[in-house]
Amino acid sequence: MAATTVPGRTAAPRASRAGAVVPTAILLLGALYCLLPVSWVVVAATKSKAELFSTSTFVPGTGLLSNIADLAAYRDGVFWLWLANTVLYAGGGALLSTAVSTVSGYALAKYAFPGRNLIFTVLIGGVLVPAVVLAIPQYLLFSSFGLADTYWSVLLPQILSPYGVYLARIYAAAAVPDALLEAARIDGAGHWLLMRKVALPLMLPGMVTIFLFQFTAIWNNFLLPFIMLGDDAKFPLTVGLYTLLAAGANQPALYNLIITGTLISLVPLVALFLTMQRHWRTDLAGGALKS
Amino acid sequence: MSARPAALSAPERLPEPAPRRRRAPARERRATAAPYLFLAPAMLLFTLFLAVPIGYTVYLSVRGTKVSGLGLGKGARREIFTGLDNYTAAIGDGELWAGWLRVLGYGLLVLAVMLTLALLFALLLDSARVRLARFSRVAIFLPYAVPGVAATLLWGFLYLPSLSPIRQVLDVDLLGTGTVMVSMANIAVWGGVGFNMLVLYTALRAVPSSYYEAARIDGASEVQIALRIKVPILLPAIILTTVFSIIATVQVFTEPTALRPLTNTISSTWSPLMKVYRDAFVTGDLYSAAATSIVIAVISLVLSFGFLRVVRDRAYGEG
């Protein structure tokens, strides 16, 4: 028996040839649905103003470079500023968020202490609070300290990530063996050293996952910067593109700028996503599902 | 260190250390400040950016002002205590109820379609018979990397009569009164199906295939295995994805806001959160915005709390 029943997911027995067609077709339809708008924007961004409305939808045009040049010239290159701001918010915020989540998750997974479950529930419960409930008072509080419409007002509220803490706890529980901590502790390592030298290296793959999720979440966030910021030199791409749309919706002449801007705003995240696939897939809440 | 052994059996990475004890005896776990110090940054951030703002919202929600001013900043000059007036106003507000009804319809549509598709795709990916599985998986997850605003712009242009390739096939006004909700739900489904599929698929990959072998030997079909074995195993993950989806749906703001410039069928109070935003920042009535926020929060909590309990009990065995 052991020799013949190879695990089902590698073996494709006889029946599969016929049986594979329908599932494969369904998945390919799903893939097509998901790729359609992205491929549309790639093609549309290559079209000049005239081509956008005249040529057939999926025929590439000749205007990509002039579209990019137009976008770069729009309001003295404010678009590049939006891109740089987004990198700053998402990169800085995700780094800090990963650090806070990892340390918290490690403490929650590997220490028993009074209030552990309460603290965990409270931190995780943060995910339930609607963003607007927070965003308005956050705006008022920041503005009473003179910090509204600053980089801080977008950066600071996005450091604490309930989902990050949740993933870190799961990951620490799965990846850091108690026996190893115990051994290091008997050798005289203190709490700080235990975490830094024993736990953190083991948690590194999990940290990459948390970083990626938070980076994406901040990159994609619209509401918080929309509420906090008034000065368009501090906008991230999402708010910038929205203002571009709000200004250009009734002027088809501006559509090229919006389409090209949308395309460029996708490139960094899609690149990150395609290169870091291993971390998106395997580590995602992996521990949670094994328990 | 932990009171209980880690619930998950970690891959054994090191040679077993000499002492054969399985867990640290109780006497070695002395009370220590270390976990509290490790949790201090998170708790500080929680206090500053969650607890204080929530408290402030509750405070604002029972206040009011007679003279309508800008009300921003510290200007609390003509502020008075109004009790539950703002709440009764929020609950009696027909505009808000209309918003809730729209979001309810939109939410049911999004949840049903998105989670069904996510489960279907995850099960198909896991079924071993599929060709090009890797390509499909990456392609379906790709929209997760697209910001909500960008997704709305993409689809928004695809819906526009002057540009739409869909309109060449299908003669419907995709941004009309009757269709705009479906068009908007489509954007959310498109953006969310891949993430949910991935969560479910990852859960399935973690199941040893020996689970299915007995069923296969007994002659169960792949469909039977999927429905009778895989779906029950996936239940905690399905609940988890449902909770996150409910929370996201109740808070819908980005899609209708970003779609508004392209159509006049979306009012500035289309969803409850849009009304809160308008009250707070356009009409400057912070107090009623605060009360409405609290009502939204309570509804979110009621919707999600039951789910979360189940998630906590089932998914974190160690808790």
Side-chain angles (χ1 to χ4, degrees):
Chain A
M1 180 189 124
T4 50
T5 52
V6 183
R9 52 175 52 108
T10 46
R14 282 167 284 138
S16 74
R17 190 151 286 255
V21 175
V22 174
T24 305
I26 295 175
L27 280 173
L28 286 178
L29 273 179
L32 185 71
Y33 165 65
C34 289
L35 290 177
L36 180 85
V38 179
S39 49
W40 176 81
V41 79
V42 171
V43 176
T46 66
K47 298 189 182 196
S48 68
K49 286 190 175 94
E51 287 165 342
L52 186 61
F53 296 97
S54 58
T55 58
S56 176
T57 309
F58 284 100
V59 175
T62 55
L64 180 62
L65 292 179
S66 73
N67 283 340
I68 293 176
D70 286 352
L71 186 65
Y74 177 73
R75 311 247 325 269
D76 301 324
V78 73
F79 183 83
W80 305 121
L81 206 52
W82 295 341
L83 186 63
N85 290 338
T86 311
V87 171
L88 177 76
Y89 292 134
L95 270 182
L96 291 168
S97 180
T98 307
V100 170
S101 301
T102 309
V103 173
S104 309
Y106 165 72
L108 288 165
K110 291 297 166 184
Y111 285 88
F113 54 93
R116 177 171 80 152
N117 283 329
L118 177 70
I119 291 177
F120 183 60
T121 309
V122 162
L123 289 178
I124 292 295
V127 103
L128 297 176
V129 182
V132 152
V133 178
L134 297 174
I136 293 170
Q138 278 171 355
Y139 172 79
L140 297 174
L141 292 168
F142 271 105
S143 75
S144 66
F145 289 102
L147 286 170
D149 200 14
T150 63
Y151 284 105
W152 296 115
S153 66
V154 175
L155 203 55
L156 292 177
Q158 302 194 85
I159 294 175
L160 182 65
S161 154
Y163 193 49
V165 174
Y166 160 80
L167 280 180
R169 177 180 184 174
I170 300 278
Y171 203 82
V176 185
D178 286 345
L180 187 60
L181 290 172
E182 185 69 5
R185 212 165 66 81
I186 290 168
D187 288 346
H191 295 288
W192 178 249
L193 203 65
L194 270 184
M195 182 187 69
R196 229 165 41 96
K197 297 281 184 194
V198 181
L200 289 198
L202 292 172
M203 289 177 73
L204 202 60
M207 290 164 73
V208 175
T209 302
I210 295 169
F211 177 87
L212 287 174
F213 275 109
Q214 195 60 12
F215 187 89
T216 310
I218 301 176
W219 187 285
N220 292 351
N221 196 348
F222 171 71
L223 182 69
L224 184 76
F226 184 58
I227 285 179
M228 286 290 180
L229 302 174
D231 170 13
D232 71 357
K234 299 191 189 81
F235 281 176
L237 279 170
T238 49
V239 181
L241 282 174
Y242 171 76
T243 56
L244 202 56
L245 178 72
N250 299 319
Q251 307 171 52
L254 279 178
Y255 283 6
N256 287 76
L257 287 190
I258 303 169
I259 289 168
T260 312
T262 306
L263 175 66
I264 293 174
S265 77
L266 299 185
V267 172
L269 220 52
V270 170
L272 190 70
F273 162 81
L274 290 176
T275 52
M276 304 292 273
Q277 258 195 68
R278 200 166 61 82
H279 293 281
W280 290 109
R281 198 183 72 228
T282 53
D283 299 326
L284 176 80
L289 309 156
K290 272 185 267 175
S291 62
Chain B
M1 305 230 82
S2 166
R4 297 163 197 134
L8 321 167
S9 56
E12 219 52 57
R13 307 192 56 134
L14 284 197
E16 193 67 28
R20 308 259 352 247
R21 281 176 277 141
R22 283 220 202 89
R23 51 171 101 172
R27 63 184 162 77
E28 288 185 22
R29 280 179 271 112
R30 266 174 258 108
T32 161
Y36 298 106
L37 288 176
F38 289 149
L39 284 162
M43 292 311 288
L44 179 70
L45 289 165
F46 181 87
T47 309
L48 285 178
F49 300 116
L50 268 113
V52 171
I54 292 170
Y56 193 39
T57 309
V58 173
Y59 170 80
L60 284 176
S61 73
V62 294
R63 313 282 294 176
T65 171
K66 279 176 184 167
V67 190
S68 65
L70 277 175
L72 300 182
K74 279 182 160 178
R77 291 166 301 267
R78 295 181 194 86
E79 201 179 274
I80 49 161
F81 178 76
T82 58
L84 296 177
D85 287 3
N86 294 326
Y87 287 96
T88 42
I91 288 166
D93 184 347
E95 218 179 350
L96 193 63
W97 279 108
W100 278 117
L101 279 179
R102 280 188 291 263
V103 167
L104 183 71
Y106 162 88
L108 289 176
L109 198 59
V110 171
L111 286 173
V113 176
M114 181 173 73
L115 294 175
T116 308
L117 282 180
L119 182 63
L120 175 70
F121 291 155
L123 289 170
L124 289 177
L125 280 176
D126 193 58
S127 73
R129 296 171 161 190
V130 168
R131 307 293 161 84
L132 299 166
R134 190 182 146 78
F135 165 78
S136 299
R137 194 187 66 226
V138 172
I140 295 171
F141 188 44
L142 189 70
Y144 179 70
V146 177
V149 172
T152 310
L153 294 189
L154 288 183
W155 280 106
F157 279 117
L158 287 173
Y159 296 151
L160 269 190
S162 57
L163 288 173
S164 177
I166 307 169
R167 290 295 292 275
Q168 292 161 9
V169 189
L170 211 71
D171 188 28
V172 211
D173 180 6
L174 296 164
L175 292 168
T177 355
T179 49
V180 74
M181 184 192 287
V182 178
S183 298
M184 215 183 294
N186 174 55
I187 300 174
V189 169
W190 182 80
V193 69
F195 175 81
N196 291 296
M197 172 196 77
L198 198 72
V199 173
L200 300 176
Y201 177 65
T202 313
L204 278 176
R205 299 300 288 180
V207 179
S209 55
S210 59
Y211 274 44
Y212 314 131
E213 273 164 25
R216 271 205 193 94
I217 291 165
D218 289 346
S221 71
E222 287 294 321
V223 175
Q224 283 171 324
I225 290 175
L227 292 180
R228 303 239 175 106
I229 305 181
K230 291 181 179 178
V231 170
I233 288 176
L234 278 180
L235 206 58
I238 294 173
I239 293 165
L240 183 79
T241 53
T242 311
V243 172
F244 282 118
S245 306
I246 291 174
I247 296 163
T249 309
V250 172
Q251 302 182 36
V252 61
F253 180 82
T254 304
E255 286 85 358
T257 305
L259 208 52
R260 275 194 74 211
L262 293 174
T263 169
N264 51 19
T265 50
I266 302 170
S267 67
S268 65
T269 56
W270 192 89
S271 82
L273 287 208
M274 290 171 74
K275 182 170 187 321
V276 171
Y277 176 84
R278 197 205 58 177
D279 287 351
F281 295 103
V282 182
T283 50
D285 186 358
L286 281 174
Y287 310 102
S288 88
T292 312
S293 313
I294 300 287
V295 172
I296 294 170
V298 168
I299 290 177
S300 275
L301 282 171
V302 167
L303 284 176
S304 329
F305 195 74
F307 283 102
L308 193 77
R309 276 201 77 94
V310 183
V311 171
R312 209 181 50 193
D313 294 347
R314 299 194 60 152
Y316 321 128
E318 59 174 313

